[in-house]
Amino acid sequence: MTTGAEDADRTAERLVTLLIDATAGAIGAAGGHTGGVYLCSRTPGLLRLGVLAGLPGPLFRPWWRLHADSPFPAADAYRLGVRVMLPDAAETMRRYPQFAAGLPFPFGSLYVPVSGPRRTYGVLTVLRAPVPDAAEVLEGVEGMERCARVLGASLDRLERDGAADQVAWDGDPLCVRPPASRRYPPRAGTFAWDPVTDEVIVDEPLCALLGTAGGQSLGLGALTAALAPDDGHRMGAALRQTAAGRPPPLPLYVRAADGVLRLVELWTPRSGPPGTGPVRGVVRDPAAGTVADAAADLLPDGVFCVDRLGTVVYANPRAAQLLGRPRAKLIGHSLWEAVPWLGQAAYEDHLRGALLSPEPVRFHVRRPPDDSRRAAPQPYEGDWLEVSVHPGPDILTGTLRPANRVADTSAGLGPGDEETGPEESAGEESAGEESGAAPEAGRAAPAAASTAPVYRPIVLAVALTEAVTARQVSAVVMRELLPAFGGRRLAIYLLQDRHLHLAWETGFPPGFLKPFEGVGLDARLPGVETLTSGRPLFFDSMQDLAAAYPGIPLDATVGARAFLPLIASGRPVGSCILGFDRVRSFGTEERTVLTALAGLIANAMEKARRYESETALARGLQRALLPRRLPAHPQLETAGRYLPGTQGMDVGGDWYDVVASGGGMALVIGDVQGHGVQAAAVMGQLRSAARAFALGDRPPDEVLSGTNSLLIDLDAGLFASCCYIRLDPATGHALAARAGHLPPLVRHPDGRTRVLDLPGGVVLGVDPQARYPLAEFRLDAGAVLALYTDGLVERPGTDIDDGITALRVALAKAGDPSARPGGRALAGMADRLTAAARHAGDRPDDIALLLASRRAGRGGPP
């Protein structure tokens, strides 16, 4: 008999196997070099990368998760249920500029939704080299769709069999090697042995080298059994000796069961007591590379090879010398584990390019100080290395050589920049700034972060896409642009009615910018002239600025200034001012990059201003569509509350209404899918339709059927849920119908609460033939009927039933409205039920709440 934990482990293992198999099949079908599967997480609307094949996970962390509504191809494939084909970088930039800005490399990508009979589980994606042949791309996508159909059916069976209540992925991606290219058979494989559990984890290349069956987990006996009998014993002894902290004599040569010679290298992690941590090893094929490796060992340049997961599989002695690491500490380790100082944003961007692009990548790196390289076999030659990385389907080959006098023009950074380095690119102060030392008078200091031209435009572009208001855009510029270039001051002015108005400032002395507020376009100021001329203005020092603009107020005695025009699509938007505490020069490339960044900022500001205008319009529309006051009735008290979601325009599709209907009152609540102006407009039409039907005293089932037909005729592409109740305040008799909406709650006068289990039909806007069952119940005098939308009870990562239970508890504790005179008791109860949501910093969804209570002692039966 198995335990629940064992069943869960088997289910997780089965899920991982399905994802890996589907990814491998898709890569093969599409002729790609890497791929993966995005799956729904338990957080609503969030997709997470479950499996990533052929790329090192840490290098691609920003793409591990994405929202289903984000402007990315995988999100569109999931949300719209369509395949997305991006054959090259040009098409990617045209359709998905934000995605292209984050990965600006020449590659193609394909995306196919993974759907089962009941729902869409995620997206299967493959990256490949650019291809101009549309027929080849289409053939690859069709092969991916076959893999996606098989995966979707398997995931559906996993749920139907009860093995998983919901197929979801909430952790980090599992990074695996892609199917090996037939042109490049594996020459090295890795394994890890746990001396405590005796479990050995092996990779696929090692299975191929040893001729064992595929599989990633086996015992030590199975590993040694794959070797010749005597060598199996030697291998086991070497592993136990290494685990005990006594490395065996190396190199260790063993023979596989077929007699082929293999070379084994073993090591243990640096931390942990002997015998407890895993022993890691690399098994190499010396015969396949004996001549080549021997030749590479003699080259004057450093040569190293990494697989597509970033594991070093070869390094010649010169590479070990230049990197300052013994070969045993390089081979079998990830490049970033073996050489930690390569894990910087500028270098990682180059390495991403080598993994995604078919073209070689060349760049310069600056090595850390000498005290971190004491383990080097020989002294180092200078601080800079020239790195070239040549891509391959399975292996990337890199070369290293000293670069004492060669500048890295691609990065705007070179060995000649003696006072700065990549480690300062995150905005850290240089040694001179920390000690308070000032540069020599009249001498321009180097840029504080000259690696910025490589990767900061990408980071800034991606960050700006998330900013929707002018303040958010300004905050992004302050967070990303200033540290990248070593700036300390920022001011952004926006143009309105031919005058410049300050939108954001930081770092300037208090009140210094006040005289410049609202200046006209005829003023002779650099912030004005950069906008009217469309040319950026750069001043290496405050003296240069004062010479160009005599009499201009200065906020410092030294320091450089950059005035950038904010122009979007040929329209002037404003000006951006960057201030530096030190004298510095602006190189040609840096001026070009800052000008380009100003264009990004201008477009973001223009988008923000349009957004704010549309938001003001939408909020006015929302207020006009919701009832200003609810109709009064001598025997019925009502109270309603609406809270917009904080994501987006603060408008959405939730609504409530109370309408006099015949001799009774109609209580309505609904929720249109989505947010924004379209959802609010559709909500207004549905509210008007339901109101018209209610005034005609139509029964609830007919009201919902008519509203359903209207929504389908509108062809808005949206659906809506709704609950409609016609209540007789005198008797408490009620007729109700539901269209996919959450069930109402009732609080009895004694404080007990219950869920009204009303039968329901499908949501509005889906099935033109839908029918909505009619239900009856009685509302006692003094009882409270609560209608609500899912925003009040749904929380990411929790079951909605738990949220309904929490609302029931809050309703029970809210007190008896009949015990509070004054006719406002229900309004206070509505405020208490929505208090937590009202003060929350983030509301992912709209909230609507409608309460109704029959007054006792006002005529009619109790």
Side-chain angles (χ1 to χ4, degrees), residues 36 72 122 172 181 227 332 346 356 383 439 540 723 823:
F72 282 83
D172 294 342
S181 168
L227 305 176
L356 296 177
D383 290 333
D540 294 350
C723 181

Side-chain angles (χ1 to χ4, degrees), residues 222-238:
L223 177 63
T224 57
L227 305 176
D230 292 342
D231 289 346
H233 292 302
R234 288 200 305 123
M235 178 74 157

Side-chain angles (χ1 to χ4, degrees), residues 358-687:
E359 300 298 325
V361 173
R362 295 179 176 84
F363 58 101
H364 286 81
V365 300
R366 187 177 188 178
R367 297 179 290 186
D370 290 339
D371 57 0
S372 67
R373 302 195 297 257
R374 291 173 180 170
Q378 298 179 21
Y380 274 76
E381 300 172 345
D383 290 333
W384 292 87
L385 294 177
E386 179 187 346
V387 183
S388 298
V389 182
H390 299 264
D394 301 311
I395 299 295
L396 283 73
T397 302
T399 62
L400 304 165
R401 61 171 58 94
N404 291 1
R405 298 179 177 84
V406 181
D408 185 355
T409 56
S410 67
L413 180 69
D417 297 330
E418 296 297 334
E419 296 188 18
T420 183
E423 62 273 12
E424 297 173 13
S425 63
E428 300 177 4
E429 296 180 344
S430 66
E433 288 173 307
E434 291 174 353
S435 63
E440 299 176 11
R443 174 178 167 268
S450 49
T451 53
V454 178
Y455 63 94
R456 280 295 167 181
I458 298 171
V459 175
L460 182 64
V462 173
L464 285 175
T465 59
E466 305 296 329
V468 295
T469 67
R471 289 188 61 82
Q472 290 174 348
V473 172
S474 301
V476 167
V477 175
M478 181 186 70
R479 185 176 67 247
E480 298 293 343
L481 193 62
L482 284 185
F485 290 88
R488 294 292 184 269
R489 292 170 169 83
L490 170 70
I492 295 180
Y493 285 86
L494 297 182
L495 180 64
Q496 183 177 359
D497 298 330
R498 296 187 58 78
H499 289 77
L500 287 174
H501 298 275
L502 185 64
W504 182 278
E505 70 161 307
T506 183
F508 287 93
F512 173 76
L513 296 177
K514 187 175 182 180
F516 303 102
E517 169 63 24
V519 297
L521 295 185
D522 55 349
R524 190 176 185 275
L525 294 169
V528 174
E529 293 189 359
T530 189
L531 178 62
T532 55
S533 67
R535 298 192 312 271
L537 302 175
F538 299 94
F539 301 94
D540 294 350
S541 67
M542 298 300 285
Q543 290 80 2
D544 293 345
L545 176 60
Y549 293 88
I552 188 173
L554 303 177
D555 61 305
T557 57
V558 297
R561 290 291 180 270
F563 296 84
L564 308 175
L566 302 182
I567 300 174
S569 302
R571 295 187 301 273
V573 175
S575 301
C576 177
I577 304 172
L578 298 179
F580 304 85
D581 288 342
R582 301 195 308 172
V583 175
R584 57 164 294 162
S585 61
F586 297 90
T588 302
E589 184 174 5
E590 193 170 29
R591 293 178 182 224
T592 301
V593 171
L594 282 170
T595 305
L597 292 177
L600 290 177
I601 298 168
N603 280 284
M605 279 293 183
E606 184 72 5
K607 181 188 71 174
R609 294 205 298 192
R610 288 198 305 267
Y611 171 85
E612 290 171 348
S613 298
E614 292 172 0
T615 299
L617 175 63
R619 287 173 178 168
L621 174 65
Q622 185 95 55
R623 288 192 295 269
L625 294 176
L626 289 172
R628 294 188 177 182
R629 64 175 64 88
L630 299 178
H633 191 283
Q635 294 173 286
L636 185 69
E637 182 182 359
T638 58
R641 295 292 182 268
Y642 172 79
L643 299 176
T646 57
Q647 299 177 1
M649 289 188 174
D650 289 357
V651 294
D654 290 17
W655 90 94
Y656 63 86
D657 207 354
V658 178
V659 187
S661 179
M665 300 294 287
L667 309 173
V668 191
I669 196 162
D671 182 359
V672 177
Q673 168 203 13
H675 306 278
V677 177
Q678 184 184 14
V682 172
M683 175 270 286
Q685 292 171 302
L686 296 186
R687 175 177 177 260

